[in-house]
């Protein structure tokens, strides 16, 4: 037998090599993927910018809400200032995150958008110009080699078929020799068939070897042309990869607040403000404004006089002017201290003043002998009748002093005295408690 043959040789083995016909399409697809990746990166940055904006808004709203709560709350003094500093930190950090959002959208997002537009050129028929150029380049480089490869495949198929036919002819001849019923003429035909098949094997083998030789001859040029097109694709992809690296570094700089001087100053200032909180100073202030350090117009013996024949009602005390000269007031040493801060004024301080003149409305001196039996309290407030009005609370209010009412929005109560010059009304809750409340916190019930 002039040639060996194996049935398994005719089975095609798939290859994933770049050099196989058509496998260049993966490098062509990478160009389209590059355009999509630009869009993905823009979407990624846009989402992060939206997160930065939302976080900044939440910080601002949180700071505003808690500033109001702290101002209306019972905290006072330097600790209140330190507490406010925490909200100030949130407002400043909010501004920095808004700056991050602006930088991401106005710089990074726009930079990618412009680069994508310049790097990828859309065609009228769809797809990108760069993709088509790469596709055409690979197809042109592969066409001559693919043609020779097709010839090799055809020659190989013919050679393998001739080998198979030779093997069958030899097998029939061997079997006929053992058959006594076969005449010499039939045996001669089988021998001629074997001889012819051997000649066919020689011819197809020669053609097969020649086609392989022709293919090997064009392969170096094929590889060179394919390399050139591939390098062009590599250069295009290198530009994209380097650009992405550059943009991501810019994004990192915009996101990284650890190296921002203003960011460091925010927390340095916050630390200083918190450390200035002084418990002793706050206690001293509270003692002077709400404790034993407060001034007091202690009762003294007074001679009866027609000009000074009554006590002041609470409403008249509220209407008294601030510039008052006090007589008979004993002060402690704490009142001589300089008080540095009191941002929120309580209702008792707003209402606290002293009489400059006596009223003539009352008919008798509270210390006269007519009240000596104890039927009248000289310290009672003026009990003059007033028009009572039902009102409804518009907001929550928590009384800051013992003589103030507390209520929730929607609660109803009775106004017993009209609003004074400082914006306070006197009223009565349904449970009978009487006290003061801010006039602008309620509305009349129609």
């Amino acid at each position: 037998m002039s040639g060996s043959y194996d049935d398994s040789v005719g089975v095609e083995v798939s290859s994933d090599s770049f050099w196989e016909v058509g496998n260049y399409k993966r490098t062509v697809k990478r160009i389209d993927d590059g355009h999509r990746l630009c869009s993905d990166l823009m979407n990624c940055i846009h989402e992060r910018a939206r997160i930065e904006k939302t976080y900044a808004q939440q910080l601002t709203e949180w700071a505003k809400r808690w500033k109001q709560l702290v101002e209306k709350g019972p905290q006072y003094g330097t600790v209140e200032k330190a507490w406010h500093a925490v909200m100030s930190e949130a407002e400043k950090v909010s501004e920095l995150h808004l700056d991050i959002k602006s930088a991401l959208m106005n710089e990074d997002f726009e930079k990618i958008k412009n680069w994508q537009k310049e790097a990828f050129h859309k065609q009228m028929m769809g797809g990108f110009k760069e993709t088509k150029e790469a596709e055409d380049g690979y197809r042109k480089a592969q066409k001559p080699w693919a043609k020779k490869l097709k010839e090799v495949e055809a020659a190989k198929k013919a050679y393998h078929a001739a080998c198979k036919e030779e093997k069958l002819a030899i097998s029939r001849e061997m079997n006929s020799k053992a058959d006594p019923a076969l005449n010499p003429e039939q045996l001669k035909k089988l021998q001629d068939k074997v001889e012819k098949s051997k000649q066919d094997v020689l011819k197809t083998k020669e053609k097969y070897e020649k086609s392989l030789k022709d293919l090997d001859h064009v392969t170096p040029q094929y590889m060179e042309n394919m390399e050139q097109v591939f390098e062009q694709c590599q250069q295009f992809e290198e530009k994209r990869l380097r650009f992405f690296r550059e943009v991501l570094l810019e994004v990192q700089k915009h996101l990284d607040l650890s190296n921002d001087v203003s960011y460091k100053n925010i927390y340095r200032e916050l630390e200083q403000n918190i450390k200035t909180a002084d418990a002793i100073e706050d206690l001293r202030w509270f003692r002077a404004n709400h404790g034993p350090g407060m001034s007091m117009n202690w009762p003294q013996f007074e001679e009866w006089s027609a000009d000074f024949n009554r006590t002041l009602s609470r409403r008249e005390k509220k209407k008294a002017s601030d510039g008052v000269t006090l007589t008979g007031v004993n002060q402690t040493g704490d009142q001589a201290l300089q008080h540095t801060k009191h941002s929120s004024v309580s209702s008792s301080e707003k209402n606290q003043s002293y009489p400059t003149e006596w009223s003539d409305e009352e008919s008798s001196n509270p210390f006269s002998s007519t009240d000596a039996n104890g039927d009248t309290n000289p310290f009672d407030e003026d009990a003059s009748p007033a028009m009572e009005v039902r009102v409804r609370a518009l907001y929550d209010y928590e009384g800051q002093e013992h003589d103030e009412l507390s209520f929730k929005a929607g609660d109803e109560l009775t106004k017993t005295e009209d609003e004074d010059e400082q914006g306070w009304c006197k009223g009565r809750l349904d449970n009978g408690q009487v006290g003061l409340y801010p006039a602008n916190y309620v509305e009349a019930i129609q």
Side-chain angles (χ1 to χ4, degrees):
M1 188 156 95
S2 60
S4 62
Y5 173 76
D6 187 352
D7 287 332
S8 64
V9 175
V11 180
E12 294 187 2
V13 180
S14 62
S15 173
D16 199 36
S17 172
F18 165 77
W19 302 106
E20 291 289 343
V21 176
N23 282 358
Y24 62 81
K25 292 185 181 296
R26 288 174 300 188
T27 61
V28 175
K29 182 178 179 296
R30 186 175 60 171
I31 298 175
D32 293 334
D33 290 342
H35 182 273
R36 193 196 73 183
L37 288 170
C38 287
S39 299
D40 290 345
L41 184 55
M42 284 192 289
N43 290 335
C44 176
I45 291 176
H46 183 263
E47 286 187 17
R48 178 58 185 266
R50 190 163 60 243
I51 292 172
E52 295 292 335
K53 180 181 178 180
T54 302
Y55 180 54
Q57 290 174 341
Q58 290 176 342
L59 282 177
T60 301
E61 293 170 1
W62 174 84
K64 181 180 179 181
R65 176 172 175 267
W66 276 98
K67 266 190 174 181
Q68 294 175 349
L69 291 174
V70 173
E71 287 174 357
K72 295 179 180 179
Q75 186 56 60
Y76 56 89
T78 58
V79 172
E80 182 183 0
K81 284 184 177 180
W83 199 340
H84 274 287
V86 176
M87 274 72 84
S88 297
E89 172 270 342
E91 292 173 340
K92 294 174 182 177
V93 172
S94 172
E95 293 177 1
L96 290 180
H97 282 278
L98 286 177
D99 292 341
I100 292 176
K101 175 258 178 186
S102 299
L104 290 174
M105 292 304 299
N106 298 334
E107 298 179 30
D108 302 330
F109 184 91
E110 289 297 323
K111 189 174 184 179
I112 301 170
K113 182 179 178 181
N114 293 333
W115 189 90
Q116 183 188 45
K117 187 176 181 180
E118 294 173 359
F120 299 91
H121 302 85
K122 290 186 178 181
Q123 298 184 117
M124 293 291 293
M125 300 300 293
F128 299 104
K129 175 184 175 184
E130 292 71 24
T131 304
K132 188 175 185 305
E133 289 177 350
E135 178 79 30
D136 292 344
Y138 278 122
R139 188 181 291 113
K140 183 178 179 181
Q142 201 169 70
K143 187 176 181 180
W145 189 84
K147 184 178 180 181
K148 293 293 183 182
L149 178 65
K150 191 173 182 181
E151 294 175 358
V152 169
E153 293 294 333
K156 180 178 74 171
K157 185 175 181 181
Y159 169 66
H160 288 177
C163 290
K164 184 176 183 180
E165 189 63 31
E166 180 191 24
K167 184 177 180 181
L168 289 173
I170 295 174
S171 177
R172 291 193 190 104
E173 183 191 13
M174 295 295 292
N175 292 333
S176 66
K177 291 180 180 180
D179 187 2
L182 198 65
N183 58 46
E185 185 179 353
Q186 290 176 328
L187 183 60
K188 180 72 169 60
K189 286 183 179 180
L190 290 175
Q191 291 174 347
D192 292 343
K193 186 70 173 176
V194 171
E195 187 63 29
K196 185 177 180 301
S197 64
K198 288 182 178 180
Q199 292 176 2
D200 289 341
V201 168
L202 291 175
K203 289 179 182 179
T204 54
K205 181 180 180 181
E206 181 181 354
K207 189 175 181 180
Y208 182 26
E209 290 175 341
K210 183 178 181 302
S211 62
L212 278 173
K213 187 176 181 181
D214 293 341
L215 181 66
D216 292 341
H217 180 71
V218 299
T219 296
Q221 185 63 45
Y222 164 66
M223 296 179 67
E224 182 180 348
N225 294 339
M226 291 288 284
E227 281 278 4
Q228 289 178 357
V229 181
F230 182 77
E231 283 303 317
Q232 292 174 0
C233 294
Q234 286 287 82
Q235 290 174 9
F236 185 82
E237 177 67 2
E238 182 182 7
K239 291 180 181 178
R240 186 191 69 81
L241 294 174
R242 289 185 181 278
F243 173 73
F244 269 42
R245 180 180 183 275
E246 176 186 342
V247 170
L248 291 173
L249 282 174
E250 290 296 321
V251 171
Q252 178 266 329
K253 290 178 182 178
H254 292 146
L255 295 177
D256 186 7
L257 292 176
S258 62
N259 295 322
D260 192 319
V261 176
S262 59
Y263 185 74
K264 294 179 179 179
N265 290 338
I266 290 174
Y267 290 97
R268 190 179 297 113
E269 181 180 349
L270 175 61
E271 182 182 8
Q272 292 173 352
N273 287 331
I274 294 175
K275 286 183 176 179
T276 55
D278 189 337
I280 300 302
E281 180 181 346
D282 290 355
L283 293 173
R284 188 184 298 118
W285 176 89
F286 192 88
R287 175 185 178 85
N289 289 272
H290 299 286
M294 295 179 68
S295 60
M296 173 63 182
N297 192 5
W298 298 102
Q300 297 183 9
F301 179 80
E302 300 178 11
E303 290 290 347
W304 180 89
S305 171
D307 294 331
F308 306 103
N309 59 354
R310 66 180 295 277
T311 59
L312 291 179
S313 69
R314 180 171 188 136
R315 290 177 60 82
E316 291 170 319
K317 288 183 179 181
K318 286 190 245 178
K319 295 180 181 180
S321 60
D322 293 335
V324 180
T325 302
L326 301 179
T327 59
V329 177
N330 296 325
Q331 296 183 339
T332 65
D334 289 337
Q335 292 170 296
L337 297 174
Q338 295 295 327
H339 306 304
T340 58
K341 180 264 179 191
H342 183 45
S343 60
S344 58
V345 181
S346 67
S347 63
S348 63
E349 291 174 295
K350 293 177 182 177
N351 297 331
Q352 182 179 354
S353 59
Y354 298 91
T356 56
E357 60 181 14
W358 293 100
S359 171
D360 293 330
E361 295 177 5
E362 292 188 359
S363 59
S364 62
N365 189 335
F367 296 104
S368 63
S369 59
T370 58
D371 296 325
N373 58 4
D375 293 338
T376 303
N377 188 344
F379 299 99
D380 283 344
E381 296 185 3
D382 192 3
S384 58
M387 182 67 69
E388 294 187 349
V389 179
R390 290 291 286 176
V391 295
R392 182 182 293 108
L394 296 172
Y395 317 100
D396 295 351
Y397 181 73
E398 187 72 24
Q400 304 297 311
E401 301 292 337
H402 68 280
D403 59 349
E404 294 178 9
L405 298 178
S406 298
F407 46 76
K408 301 290 185 181
D411 291 352
E412 295 183 3
L413 60 151
T414 302
K415 181 178 75 172
T416 58
E417 290 186 14
D418 292 331
E419 178 183 354
D420 63 15
E421 294 177 354
Q422 297 183 0
W424 292 83
C425 287
K426 187 173 183 179
R428 181 178 64 253
L429 299 178
D430 291 344
N431 62 7
Q433 182 183 355
V434 177
L436 301 174
Y437 63 89
N440 59 353
Y441 271 56
V442 300
E443 64 176 357
I445 300 176
Q446 300 297 329

